[in-house]
């Protein structure tokens, strides 16, 4: 084998190793920003560039943006600017040997980053409908030649095809998740509006639940699921009569029995969804009134038989209920709220969740420090 052939074999082996290294990471990634970083890193390594980034088209603003230009924060440029803009308009790749000798070069990125661009590759990313959704751009070839070759261009084209499909799939997933978030928030607000309480309640419970999950050391994905599902905890109140839901005084035993059905109503509204997140929210709706000692409702679950998200949401819900005005009570003073959680740790609430609340009390309780009145007698409504 000649020296040239040996180099070609070695280069092919290098690219195969890169692909085998990056593909599992890319397939497992769910966050768009992280996915784009992985794609850019792969592209940079494939063609031995100093920098590589994925520019995506922002249809609403008419701009191209990237968060993955190495060493810099987010950049935005007009959709028709520079080499990437040219590839967006024409749908064709570019191989540029000296950027400053080309009239299409947009120097603003260099001026902003204090960088000097010489050789450039751009390859458009096409969606499944054949429309340009972004541009792969590699800058400044590293190594002996200092200029990108036709072979580099072909390799980046192949990388762009895979990247386009992956990014489009991630965008569709993100859009579906955003739709689910909107549905969850809208339904959560609907349940709150029935009880004449501020819609901020669901936001506060969601934020407190998220913080408690973080302080308990749960994985990021689980924290996010709990954050998204928590606003649905009282969805079942939609099915509770106004006379019970908005009664200013203490509920009778019969009325309280009706009120308690909201946990099961919320569960039944969500449990048959095809969406995992909504089924997860169904269990939060049903379990956030269960007690650690098994004396809660609707199922009388005890200890770790109660879903963790329900245990966390229970603490968040009670904290907000005690700390805010309700139609049947005034907000409790801070010290009395704190004493209540210490008192109920191990009976109503899981001790570890209360410990997390106590350890981070100032952070979690800060939004409620606007003055509180002496408590009225409560009746368990939350």
């Amino acid at each position: 084998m000649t020296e040239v052939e040996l180099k070609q074999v070695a280069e092919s082996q290098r690219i195969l190793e890169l692909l085998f290294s990056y593909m599992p990471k890319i397939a497992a990634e769910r966050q768009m920003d992280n996915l784009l970083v992985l794609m850019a890193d792969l592209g940079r390594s494939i063609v031995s560039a100093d920098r590589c980034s994925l520019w995506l088209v922002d249809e609403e603003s008419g701009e191209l943006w990237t968060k993955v230009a190495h060493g810099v924060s987010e950049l935005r440029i007009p959709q028709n600017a520079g080499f990437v803009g040219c590839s967006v308009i024409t749908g064709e790749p570019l191989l540029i040997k000296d950027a400053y000798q080309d009239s299409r070069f947009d120097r603003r990125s260099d001026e902003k980053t204090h960088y000097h661009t010489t050789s450039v590759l751009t390859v458009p990313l096409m969606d499944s409908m054949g429309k340009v959704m972004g541009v792969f751009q590699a800058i400044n070839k590293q190594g002996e030649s200092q200029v990108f070759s036709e072979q580099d261009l072909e390799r980046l084209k192949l990388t762009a095809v895979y990247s386009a499909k992956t990014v489009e799939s991630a965008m569709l997933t993100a859009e579906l998740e955003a739709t689910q978030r909107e549905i969850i928030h809208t339904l959560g607000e609907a349940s709150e509006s029935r009880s004449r309480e501020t819609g901020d309640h669901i936001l506060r419970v969601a934020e407190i639940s998220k913080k408690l999950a973080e302080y308990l050391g749960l994985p990021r994905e689980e924290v996010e699921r709990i954050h998204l599902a928590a606003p649905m905890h009282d969805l079942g109140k939609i099915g509770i009569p106004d006379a019970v839901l908005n009664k200013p005084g203490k509920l009778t035993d019969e009325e309280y029995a009706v009120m308690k059905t909201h946990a099961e109503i919320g569960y039944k509204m969500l449990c048959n969804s095809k969406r995992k997140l909504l089924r997860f929210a169904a269990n939060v709706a049903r379990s956030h009134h269960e007690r650690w000692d098994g004396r809660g409702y609707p199922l009388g679950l005890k200890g770790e038989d109660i879903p963790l998200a329900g245990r966390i949401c229970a603490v968040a819900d009670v904290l907000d209920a005690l700390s805010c005005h309700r139609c049947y009570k005034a907000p409790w003073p801070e010290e009395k709220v704190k004493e209540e959680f210490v008192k109920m740790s191990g009976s109503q609430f899981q001790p570890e969740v209360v410990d997390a609340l106590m350890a981070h009390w100032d952070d979690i309780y800060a939004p409620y420090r606007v003055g509180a009145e002496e408590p009225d007698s409560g009746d368990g409504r939350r």
Side-chain angles (χ1 to χ4, degrees), residues 164-184:
K165 293 183 181 300
T166 306
V167 170
E168 184 176 24
S169 176
M171 284 180 167
L172 290 173
T173 299
E175 186 174 347
L176 284 173
E177 289 178 350
T179 301
Q180 286 183 231
R181 290 188 185 99
E182 186 175 338
I183 291 170
I184 285 174

Side-chain angles (χ1 to χ4, degrees), residues 209-220:
S209 297
K210 178 183 178 182
K211 287 184 176 182
L212 288 171
E214 288 173 339
Y215 294 144
L216 287 167
L218 300 186
R220 183 187 65 187

Side-chain angles (χ1 to χ4, degrees), residues 52-242:
C52 190
S53 53
L54 271 173
W55 293 85
L56 296 180
V57 175
D58 185 336
E59 297 285 0
E60 291 186 6
S61 67
E63 294 177 313
L64 289 164
W65 66 274
T66 181
K67 286 189 177 180
V68 296
H70 295 279
V72 300
S73 58
E74 177 178 305
L75 293 175
R76 283 184 172 268
I77 62 173
Q79 192 168 315
N80 60 354
F83 297 133
V84 287
C86 184
S87 280
V88 169
I89 294 169
T90 65
E92 298 294 331
L94 293 175
L95 195 164
I96 309 297
K97 294 183 178 180
D98 187 344
Y100 281 83
Q101 298 301 313
D102 194 305
S103 60
R104 296 169 296 183
F105 180 50
D106 183 353
R107 305 186 183 194
R108 283 176 289 187
S109 292
D110 272 13
E111 291 169 356
K112 184 174 181 179
T113 61
H114 305 292
Y115 187 76
H116 186 80
T117 300
T118 52
S119 54
V120 179
L121 282 180
T122 66
V123 176
L125 276 70
M126 303 292 190
D127 64 18
S128 56
M129 302 299 291
K131 183 179 179 181
V132 177
M133 60 188 291
V135 177
F136 227 136
Q137 179 176 246
I139 298 175
N140 290 1
K141 173 75 173 181
Q142 302 296 287
E144 296 178 5
S145 69
Q146 300 293 302
V147 175
F148 292 111
S149 66
E150 290 288 345
Q151 190 175 45
D152 289 326
L153 181 58
E154 290 305 312
R155 287 170 177 166
L156 194 61
K157 282 182 182 179
L158 291 174
T159 307
V161 170
Y162 175 75
S163 299
K165 293 183 181 300
T166 306
V167 170
E168 184 176 24
S169 176
M171 284 180 167
L172 290 173
T173 299
E175 186 174 347
L176 284 173
E177 289 178 350
T179 301
Q180 286 183 231
R181 290 188 185 99
E182 186 175 338
I183 291 170
I184 285 174
H185 184 71
T186 300
L187 288 174
E189 283 189 327
S191 69
E192 284 308 304
S193 66
R194 286 282 330 284
S195 61
R196 298 180 188 163
E197 305 294 352
T198 173
D200 288 343
H201 168 67
I202 63 168
L203 298 178
R204 290 192 299 266
V205 170
E207 288 304 314
I208 294 168
S209 297
K210 178 183 178 182
K211 287 184 176 182
L212 288 171
E214 288 173 339
Y215 294 144
L216 287 167
L218 300 186
R220 183 187 65 187
E221 294 79 7
E222 187 69 5
V223 170
E224 183 64 10
R225 281 208 305 169
I226 292 172
H227 185 216
L228 292 173
M232 304 292 275
H233 69 283
D234 276 341
L235 177 62
K237 284 184 177 179
I238 289 175
I240 304 300
D242 286 344

Side-chain angles (χ1 to χ4, degrees), residues 299-331:
L299 300 179
L301 300 178
K302 182 177 181 180
E304 293 188 1
D305 288 339
I306 306 167
L308 178 56
R311 292 176 245 155
I312 291 171
C313 191
V315 171
D317 187 33
V318 172
L319 176 62
D320 192 71
L322 296 181
S323 303
C324 295
H325 177 81
R326 292 289 184 267
C327 64
Y328 53 89
K329 61 169 280 296

